[in-house]
């Protein structure tokens, strides 16, 4: 089973449909040429001086740098891209009904950005173990219709079968927790520069093996339901001064928001206020 491919004008509804069916989808031409070239330059500057600090899981021949909102304005473009953001809203914001006294209220969880990272597989890097990213929160499967995460991988360099294109097992988001993922069930997300892979937190995937003589570079970001702790602590990663430079919606997506159920409030003068109020003080 191959990973389905769609174009950068594909409807959100169809992207969501494919994700529900297969657990992953490739969007061709996700980034325009200028954005991709700018992101590529920023990642070259970010990764060139960095060292390999991985392990068997993260990769002993893999460079990783997080905190991308500190290093490139193109992270904003990725986060706010409708085919990523609006798809995340439809996938993750499944409403639930709760009682408030005798009134039955339907509410949906907020979402926030859980992780940002540049990942560069160097020549000789082996396959990463196949895994589910929602294991961060020990998420159980079947998940009864509520996904924890929608993740994206941007092909900063070309992703090929030789240089370690991401491995994905289509349909594995429907598996229970007893089924073991096997390498022979995975297919590789072969992509041109500027393409993007979207996948669910419950889909088994992993970095491929780089048998080429050049690095393979990608940028990943994830939206999670905001009832879960952010994998990357955005409050400490990004300074208050930097946060103030972002649009209000992005500030809220980075966690500076009080939810409709009051989660994440800050006491300001006795008010259970939204953290965004601190950005105006």
């Amino acid at each position: 089973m191959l990973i389905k491919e769609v174009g950068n004008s594909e409807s959100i509804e169809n992207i969501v449909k494919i994700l529900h069916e297969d657990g992953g989808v490739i969007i061709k031409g996700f980034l325009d040429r200028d954005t991709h070239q700018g992101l590529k330059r920023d990642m070259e500057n970010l990764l060139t001086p960095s060292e390999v600090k991985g392990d068997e899981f993260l990769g002993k021949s893999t460079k990783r740098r997080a905190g991308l909102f500190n290093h490139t304005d193109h992270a904003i473009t990725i986060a706010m891209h409708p085919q990523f953001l609006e798809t995340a809203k439809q996938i993750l914001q499944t409403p639930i009904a709760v009682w408030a006294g005798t009134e039955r209220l339907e509410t949906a969880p907020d979402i926030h950005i859980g992780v940002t990272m540049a990942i560069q597989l160097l020549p000789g890097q082996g396959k990463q173990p196949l895994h589910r990213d929602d294991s961060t929160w020990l998420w159980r499967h079947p998940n009864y219709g509520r996904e924890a995460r929608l993740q994206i991988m941007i092909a900063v360099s070309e992703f090929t079968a030789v240089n370690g294109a991401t491995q994905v097992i289509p349909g594995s988001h429907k598996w229970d927790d007893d089924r073991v993922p096997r390498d022979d069930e995975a297919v590789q997300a072969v992509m041109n520069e500027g393409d993007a892979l979207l996948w669910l937190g419950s889909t088994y995937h992993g970095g491929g093996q780089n048998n080429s003589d050049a690095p393979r570079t990608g940028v990943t970001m994830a939206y999670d339901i905001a009832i879960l702790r952010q994998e990357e602590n955005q409050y400490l990663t990004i300074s208050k001064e930097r946060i103030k430079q972002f649009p209000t919606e992005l500030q809220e997506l980075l966690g500076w928001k009080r939810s409709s159920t009051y989660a994440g409030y800050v006491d300001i003068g006795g008010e259970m206020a939204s953290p965004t109020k601190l950005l105006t003080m």
Side-chain angles (χ1 to χ4, degrees):
M1 182 177 181
L2 298 177
I3 305 170
K4 290 189 177 73
E5 297 179 350
V6 300
N8 57 15
S9 61
E10 190 68 45
S11 70
I12 305 302
E13 289 71 23
N14 195 43
I15 293 173
V16 170
K17 181 175 181 289
I18 295 171
L19 284 166
H20 280 312
E21 291 173 350
D22 299 346
V25 62
I26 291 173
I27 302 177
K28 305 294 290 181
F30 180 81
L31 294 183
D32 62 66
R33 186 180 184 281
D34 289 344
T35 301
H36 168 259
Q37 290 300 315
L39 179 66
K40 188 173 185 177
R41 286 191 298 270
D42 290 344
M43 293 306 98
E44 286 174 352
N45 293 333
L46 179 64
L47 289 166
T48 297
S50 63
E51 299 177 1
V52 175
K53 298 181 179 179
D55 53 25
E56 290 295 338
F57 180 78
L58 296 176
K60 291 186 175 181
S61 296
T62 297
K63 292 183 178 181
R64 294 174 182 265
R65 289 296 301 273
L68 295 189
F69 286 97
N70 286 327
H71 302 294
T72 177
D73 286 339
H74 298 296
I76 302 171
T77 303
I78 296 170
M80 305 304 290
H81 195 296
Q83 286 182 312
F84 184 30
L85 175 56
E86 298 305 319
T87 299
K89 290 177 180 178
Q90 289 201 30
I91 291 286
L92 301 176
Q93 293 189 293
T94 304
I96 187 172
V98 297
W99 290 103
T102 58
E103 186 177 6
R104 190 165 174 81
L105 306 174
E106 187 174 85
T107 187
D110 294 309
I111 60 173
H112 60 199
I113 294 167
V115 68
T116 67
M117 187 172 289
I119 304 174
Q120 186 175 77
L121 275 60
L122 301 178
Q125 173 61 56
K127 289 181 181 179
Q128 185 183 35
L130 295 166
H131 61 282
R132 285 167 157 162
D133 281 335
D134 59 14
S135 295
T136 297
W137 308 283
L138 304 180
W139 209 249
R140 299 293 84 191
H141 309 88
N143 55 33
Y144 303 106
R146 182 173 295 286
E147 291 288 340
R149 164 172 286 185
L150 178 69
Q151 191 146 347
I152 193 168
M153 174 68 79
I154 309 288
V156 177
S157 65
E158 188 179 17
F159 276 39
T160 72
V162 177
N163 73 5
T166 304
Q167 304 176 91
V168 179
I169 303 183
S172 59
H173 63 303
K174 299 176 182 178
W175 296 358
D176 63 27
D177 289 316
D178 292 327
R179 183 166 173 176
V180 179
R182 302 193 318 268
D183 285 342
D184 62 2
E185 297 175 290
V187 294
Q188 289 185 283
V190 173
M191 297 188 285
N192 295 324
E193 295 184 4
D195 293 349
L197 168 69
L198 285 179
W199 74 95
L200 303 177
S202 54
T203 300
Y204 278 106
H205 69 285
Q209 182 170 333
N210 189 349
N211 291 319
S212 75
D213 58 0
R216 187 229 74 182
T217 306
V219 160
T220 192
M221 187 180 296
Y223 277 114
D224 306 328
I225 52 176
I227 59 174
L228 300 172
R229 184 178 182 182
Q230 288 166 307
E231 183 176 352
E232 178 185 15
N233 191 322
Q234 304 295 338
Y235 307 103
L236 298 179
T237 299
I238 309 171
S239 70
K240 191 174 177 181
E241 290 68 31
R242 177 67 170 155
I243 287 286
K244 287 180 178 180
Q245 299 173 16
F246 298 154
T248 301
E249 184 178 11
L250 181 57
Q251 292 171 347
E252 294 177 344
L253 289 168
L254 284 165
W256 290 73
K257 182 182 181 180
R258 185 197 71 182
S259 77
S260 58
T261 56
Y262 296 96
Y265 76 84
V266 178
D267 187 308
I268 301 177
E271 176 190 359
M272 295 168 64
S274 177
T276 49
K277 191 168 184 177
L278 294 173
L279 301 177
T280 62
M281 298 174 66

